[in-house]
Amino acid sequence: MGAKISSTDTKARLERIPNVPPIIAAVPRHVQRPLWSVMIPTYNCLQFLQETLESVLTQDPGPEFMQIAVVDDCSTDGDVRALVEKVGKNRVEYFQQTRNLGSLRNLESCLNLSIGQRVHILHGDDKVALGFYEEIDTLFSAYPEAGAAFTHIRYITEQGTFTNPPLSTETGVVKDFLLKMATSIRVQPPAIVVKRKVYEQLGGFFAVHYGEDWEMWTRIAAHFPVAYSPKPLADYRYLTNNSITQQSIKTGQNMRDITTVINIIQKYLPLNKRKELKRIALTDYALYCAKLANTLYFSDLSSALTQAKGALKMSKNIRVLYSISRFYIKYLIGYNFIKNLTNKINSYFFSIKAIA
């Protein structure tokens, strides 16, 4: 019989992981508002923060047009304030939580501290390329009905930078974006800017620490048109040490959270499409986890096994089974090789001992 969850535990969880979208209050009427708010949530990413800040400051149109703020969730890897002051030179606002609240509550603070008409959440380990804000401005100007706008993205890994094929080769409002988002994540946080009034209407991020952005962008797509540019003008740092993504992959929390997200997304979809889109979404993410398992085989076998087992629980699609079978063949061959080698070594030393 499992341990009971106390009301104290439930309250502590809700303090860090809201079970409904947090309210984002409207900006008071007397506040003079810029067009942009670039809100930079940080937690233990000091080694990347200077690069993040500089990528924004090189495109800074001035304080009357852009708010730039760092919101730190009590980082322990160095003096975030000192770095902000050094790089920002009084241009970047700095806020620090009184205690560590977790990524969702820190995002909530970012949104409520923003005063611009458009909000760009740029995590402290990501960055934007020159021309990003100009391109987003062009999108909103050309498609004023859009609630959000985003560009194509580049991924930064320890092995280098890569891009996937663009969502579309054309610039404009994405057709059937809700249905596209229902099956897999199509946008990463540094690439998207959302009108603040959209957050005021729909609320903030909730439910999970991993995949919370997928739910948010899908919720937006269910209520507003979303514009897109195929230019790769944002950089997403992928699988950095101690990131939420990396830690979730180690524990398997990524699969539990994504399953939760996929279930939440169903209520945004047409009734007659939910079952099929859910099946596709689970298969797509299971394939991603199977690929992760094969990729991590040599560098992190424990995480690889976690991803392989979880992928099989998410989907029994033939492509998933094939990918996982490749992983387990490698695993068994490696296991048997080590086992046989160990037996040979033991036999060798045993024979030496017997002769002696």
Side-chain angles (χ1 to χ4, degrees):
M1 186 174 179
K4 293 182 178 179
I5 300 175
S6 70
S7 59
T8 303
D9 291 337
T10 301
K11 183 179 178 182
R13 183 186 182 281
L14 290 176
E15 284 181 354
R16 298 180 70 84
I17 307 177
N19 60 2
V20 295
I23 293 172
I24 307 304
V27 177
R29 288 174 177 258
H30 68 272
V31 174
Q32 187 172 352
R33 301 182 63 184
L35 180 61
W36 306 92
S37 280
V38 182
M39 309 303 293
I40 304 173
T42 61
Y43 179 70
N44 287 357
C45 55
L46 192 66
Q47 61 178 317
F48 305 116
L49 184 56
Q50 180 168 341
E51 195 175 356
T52 301
L53 289 169
E54 288 174 346
S55 77
V56 177
L57 290 168
T58 55
Q59 306 178 65
D60 177 21
E64 66 272 28
F65 298 105
M66 180 180 282
Q67 173 192 20
I68 307 172
V70 169
V71 185
D72 182 50
D73 195 22
C74 293
S75 294
T76 60
D77 62 342
D79 193 335
V80 178
R81 180 191 292 273
L83 179 64
V84 171
E85 291 176 351
K86 174 188 172 184
V87 178
K89 296 181 172 60
N90 298 318
R91 177 64 184 91
V92 180
E93 299 174 48
Y94 176 75
F95 302 92
Q96 185 186 56
Q97 304 289 3
T98 56
R99 58 188 174 86
N100 180 265
L101 298 179
S103 61
L104 292 178
R105 293 302 186 184
N106 205 41
L107 288 171
E108 182 183 346
S109 293
C110 284
L111 293 176
N112 277 311
L113 288 167
S114 69
I115 58 173
Q117 296 172 41
R118 305 168 182 169
V119 181
H120 181 209
I121 294 178
L122 180 63
H123 291 271
D125 55 354
D126 297 329
K127 59 180 180 175
V128 287
L130 194 63
F132 173 79
Y133 296 103
E134 183 179 353
E135 186 70 8
I136 294 292
D137 186 58
T138 299
L139 287 172
F140 277 127
S141 297
Y143 309 98
E145 72 278 16
F150 69 106
T151 72
H152 192 41
I153 196 149
R154 293 178 298 197
Y155 291 86
I156 304 173
T157 70
E158 293 178 353
Q159 289 72 42
T161 302
F162 71 92
T163 59
N164 291 325
L167 181 63
S168 169
T169 57
E170 298 181 358
T171 297
V173 169
V174 184
K175 184 180 179 181
D176 295 328
F177 188 54
L178 173 61
L179 302 184
K180 289 180 171 67
M181 284 295 296
T183 58
S184 64
I185 184 73
R186 304 303 179 108
V187 55
Q188 295 294 351
I192 188 167
V193 176
V194 179
K195 290 178 178 176
R196 197 183 192 281
K197 66 181 181 181
V198 171
Y199 285 124
E200 292 169 15
Q201 178 179 327
L202 302 181
F205 299 83
F206 81 113
V208 296
H209 276 136
Y210 180 93
E212 79 291 349
D213 55 319
W214 185 6
E215 186 284 326
M216 183 79 252
W217 316 142
T218 309
R219 196 182 344 150
I220 291 172
H223 293 84
F224 297 92
V226 177
Y228 170 74
S229 167
K231 296 180 181 178
L233 294 172
D235 293 328
Y236 175 70
R237 206 173 294 274
Y238 181 63
L239 292 184
T240 55
N241 290 333
N242 298 319
S243 67
I244 290 176
T245 299
Q246 188 80 311
Q247 294 304 311
S248 295
I249 286 170
K250 285 181 179 294
T251 63
Q253 189 64 42
N254 63 317
M255 292 170 286
R256 293 188 288 274
D257 280 358
I258 287 298
T259 301
T260 297
V261 167
I262 291 171
N263 287 332
I264 292 172
I265 283 173
Q266 300 313 299
K267 66 183 179 182
Y268 307 142
L269 306 175
L271 269 172
N272 64 335
K273 294 183 180 295
R274 291 179 182 179
K275 185 177 181 180
E276 178 63 10
L277 291 174
K278 182 176 180 178
R279 182 190 64 78
I280 294 171
L282 287 170
T283 299
D284 185 84
Y285 197 76
L287 283 168
Y288 167 75
C289 294
K291 182 179 178 181
L292 264 181
N294 282 287
T295 301
L296 293 170
Y297 175 79
F298 292 105
S299 61
D300 189 348
L301 184 56
S302 176
S303 294
L305 284 166
T306 298
Q307 294 302 302
K309 293 174 184 176
L312 285 175
K313 289 181 180 179
M314 293 186 82
S315 174
K316 299 297 190 297
N317 179 275
I318 188 66
R319 291 178 298 160
V320 176
L321 295 176
Y322 173 73
S323 186
I324 292 301
S325 67
R326 287 178 55 224
F327 168 80
Y328 276 112
I329 288 170
K330 283 192 296 186
Y331 174 71
L332 290 173
I333 290 173
Y335 173 79
N336 287 329
F337 173 78
I338 293 171
K339 182 179 179 181
N340 290 334
L341 181 62
T342 301
N343 288 338
K344 287 180 180 179
I345 292 172
N346 288 338
S347 297
Y348 174 74
F349 281 108
F350 180 79
S351 62
I352 291 175
K353 186 176 180 181
I355 292 172

